[in-house]
Amino acid sequence: MTPRPASEALARFLAEPAHGGVYRLKASRAAGFGEAEGLHWHRLPVPHRWTREALLDALAASLAFPDYFGRNWDAAWDCLTELGWESGRAQVILLPEAPADGAAMAIFLALMSDACDHWAARGQTLAVLLVEDNERRTDVEGPPWLAAVPHLPEAALGEGD
């Protein structure tokens, strides 16, 4: 598969571990991503609703957590901080927007933000891209937990260079 310009721009942006983190991204922009050197993609499936269990199960399956994973937030933290990957390859988790249990999603996003910071301090990049599907959403502003998530910078998409 040929790399797409958006993927190459994202790879350049995420080459700097400090750029790891949790970001929002419009679905139309996510469609422009393909394989690119320096990125390792993890796509979570689209659920009917993001619940604590759905978030934990999707994360565990996507990142190949060990069989002994305890399906709770503390166990997820343990597994997230024990990940192994090639140096210089950013781990990018695509999280599709879906109706969500707000409390569970807020905890999940805080957990993922902390994990991104953990890896940045170790010279590795972990990024979570919350793929916004505005057409699925019935409210214009979005749920309260979404307001705290910044948009992926234009520079990460190869725009504004």
Side-chain angles (χ1 to χ4, degrees):
M1 178 181 284
T2 304
R4 296 181 182 144
S7 298
E8 292 170 347
L10 183 63
R12 284 190 303 275
F13 179 78
L14 294 178
E16 175 58 47
H19 289 164
V22 179
Y23 300 100
R24 293 161 68 172
L25 178 68
K26 293 195 182 313
S28 60
R29 297 311 242 325
F33 290 132
E35 298 303 316
E37 189 172 329
L39 299 177
H40 186 223
W41 296 98
H42 304 277
R43 291 174 171 85
L44 277 58
V46 180
H48 292 293
R49 181 173 175 77
W50 284 122
T51 62
R52 176 186 161 278
E53 292 77 15
L55 287 161
L56 290 169
D57 289 347
L59 188 64
S62 178
L63 295 175
F65 284 178
D67 291 340
Y68 58 82
F69 170 60
R71 292 186 77 224
N72 62 61
W73 300 124
D74 289 336
W77 171 256
D78 291 343
C79 290
L80 283 166
T81 59
E82 295 169 359
L83 292 173
W85 60 69
E86 291 177 48
S87 181
R89 264 189 102 186
Q91 302 296 312
V92 183
I93 299 170
L94 289 177
L95 173 67
E97 184 180 7
D101 171 320
M105 186 57 83
I107 291 169
F108 178 79
L109 294 174
L111 173 79
M112 296 310 298
S113 180
D114 288 348
C116 293
D117 292 345
H118 168 87
W119 285 110
R122 286 153 183 79
Q124 298 284 359
T125 304
L126 175 63
V128 178
L129 303 181
L130 174 60
V131 181
E132 293 183 278
D133 186 356
N134 292 343
E135 298 196 10
R136 283 182 63 149
R137 195 179 316 139
T138 57
D139 55 345
V140 177
E141 299 287 320
W145 54 263
L146 185 60
V149 180
H151 289 275
L152 187 65
E154 294 295 318
L157 299 168
E159 299 170 6
D161 292 335

